[in-house]
């Protein structure tokens, strides 16, 4: 019998002038990276399977983060990393804890792998409520606890003390989903240890401007990485992706400059939103959650779409009634969004 997965999770891919719905980077990758990748493509032995261990990529990521290659697991996007974690540590008879509202794929992939989903609430303002976390962990003893920081779609990073408390209270694996970590004031990478229970997941999709390449990874205890490797399909990471991931890391300075630019633009976008008839939440990521004061999120989403601006409609999601999420774009895209929103909410 199949599992009831509900409507699934996807953002419509419609043709619009201004696309701010999936938290991608507004900028393509540096030209130097594209040229280096083109050379690597030309030198690829296409008739051979790729390096099954992805050794060069893992070594490069290990060097970037100051860990060992056997503490790095790579997959086709961080979603596939999360799926592999749940294949290894979830499944029938085990539970995964999520604190809503949060990234919908955590619960979705848990259900896909027939892992029971236990749900806790966040505090007002969307931070983790450590008392609630302790209650859920003690009641369900989840095999996997998800913490998304900065949290999608609400935007805030969790304080380091709260994450340390979650790790101390957990009996199973604690997955820190750091898809937006480069924008965050801190990272939980320092909590990863071979005898610990914390793993950190990252993606190339956002700050590395490589959403099209589908590459994500996990930094965790070596024994956990070994378990994940056992669940991955043979040669699941193709040679082009391995090269792309390795070559991108040579452009770290450009990436950091983009992060700084996007963070500054986020503040300009948030200030623009604050001048309109909407409620705005502070963000440590590359997107901003807001709620039209009319409460009519879906109608505002439609009004924006009519003006060729696409944002994420969260208005029907539990705990997020009326909310919309906008990705930080280029200054021109954000101006177009703000102008369209002003027309829609001030009508
Ligand atoms: N985690 C979070 C919190 C995300 O927002 C996303 C992207 N929507 C992902 C993971 C998945 O990223 P990808 O599979 O592109 O690496």
């Amino acid at each position: 019998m199949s599992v009831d997965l509900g409507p699934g999770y996807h953002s419509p891919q419609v043709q619009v002038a201004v696309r701010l719905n999936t938290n991608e980077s507004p900028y393509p990758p540096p030209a130097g990276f594209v040229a280096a990748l083109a050379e690597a493509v030309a030198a690829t032995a296409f008739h051979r399977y790729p390096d099954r261990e992805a050794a060069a990529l893992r070594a490069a990521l290990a060097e970037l983060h100051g860990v060992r290659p056997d503490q790095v697991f790579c997959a086709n996007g961080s979603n596939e990393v999360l799926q592999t974690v749940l294949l290894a540590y979830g499944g029938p008879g085990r539970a995964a804890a999520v604190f809503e509202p949060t990234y919908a794929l955590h619960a979705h992939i848990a259900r896909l792998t027939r892992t029971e989903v236990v749900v806790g609430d966040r505090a007002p303002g969307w931070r983790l409520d450590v008392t609630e976390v302790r209650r859920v962990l003690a009641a369900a003893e989840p095999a996997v606890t998800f913490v998304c920081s900065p949290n999608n779609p609400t935007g805030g990073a969790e304080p380091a003390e709260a994450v340390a408390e979650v790790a101390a209270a957990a009996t199973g694996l604690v997955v820190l989903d750091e898809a937006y970590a480069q924008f965050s004031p801190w990272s939980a990478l320092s909590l990863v240890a071979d005898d610990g229970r914390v793993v950190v997941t990252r993606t190339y999709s956002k700050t590395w401007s490589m959403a099209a390449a589908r590459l994500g990874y996990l930094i965790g205890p070596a024994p956990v990485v070994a378990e994940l490797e056992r669940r991955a399909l043979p040669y699941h990471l193709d040679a082009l992706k391995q090269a792309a991931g390795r070559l991108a890391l040579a452009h770290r300075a450009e990436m950091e400059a983009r992060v700084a630019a996007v963070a500054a633009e986020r503040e300009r976008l948030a200030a623009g939103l604050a001048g309109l008839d909407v409620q705005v939440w502070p963000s440590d990521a590359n997107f901003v959650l807001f709620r039209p004061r009319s409460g009519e999120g879906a109608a505002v989403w439609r009004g924006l779409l009519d003006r060729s601006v696409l944002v994420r409609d969260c208005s029907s999601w539990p705990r997020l009634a009326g909310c919309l999420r906008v990705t930080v774009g280029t200054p021109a895209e954000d101006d177009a969004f703000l102008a369209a929103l002003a027309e829609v909410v001030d009508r």
Side-chain angles (χ1 to χ4, degrees), residues 9 23 101-104 148-156 180 287 317 325:
Y9 175 87
N23 299 344
T102 191
Y103 184 45
C148 191
S149 179
N151 187 45
N152 180 8
T154 55
Y180 305 96
F287 55 84
W317 300 4
R325 188 197 69 194

Side-chain angles (χ1 to χ4, degrees), residues 3 46 69 121:
V3 196
F46 279 99
D121 279 304

Side-chain angles (χ1 to χ4, degrees), residues 151-177:
N151 187 45
N152 180 8
T154 55
E158 296 302 332
E161 310 77 60
V163 172
E165 286 194 53
V166 175
T171 46
L173 205 63
V174 177
V175 178
L176 257 293
D177 184 333

Side-chain angles (χ1 to χ4, degrees), residues 96 105 110 129 223 327 346:
L105 260 278
D129 172 346
T327 304
D346 289 347

Side-chain angles (χ1 to χ4, degrees), residues 19 87 99 120 196 200 243:
R19 208 164 70 178
L87 284 173
F99 297 90
V200 172

Side-chain angles (χ1 to χ4, degrees), residues 166-239:
V166 175
T171 46
L173 205 63
V174 177
V175 178
L176 257 293
D177 184 333
E178 290 196 350
Y180 305 96
Q182 288 91 342
F183 299 99
S184 168
W186 76 287
S187 163
L189 277 171
S190 59
L191 300 179
V192 173
D194 273 346
D195 58 356
R197 56 177 75 258
V198 172
V199 301
V200 172
T201 60
R202 294 283 186 99
T203 178
Y204 278 76
S205 298
K206 319 291 176 181
T207 36
W208 290 103
S209 298
M210 280 170 57
R214 308 302 302 126
L215 180 58
Y217 61 96
L218 169 150
I219 307 288
V224 172
V225 169
E227 286 301 317
L228 301 179
E229 294 290 352
R230 267 180 222 123
R231 269 75 180 181
L233 294 174
Y235 314 111
H236 71 301
L237 274 191
D238 67 73

Side-chain angles (χ1 to χ4, degrees), residues 62 94 120 132 143 146 162 186 208 231 241 258 278 326 340 344:
R94 294 178 180 162
E132 167 79 342
F146 287 103
W186 76 287
W208 290 103
R231 269 75 180 181
K241 186 181 321 251
R258 281 140 186 257
V278 302
V326 60
V344 176

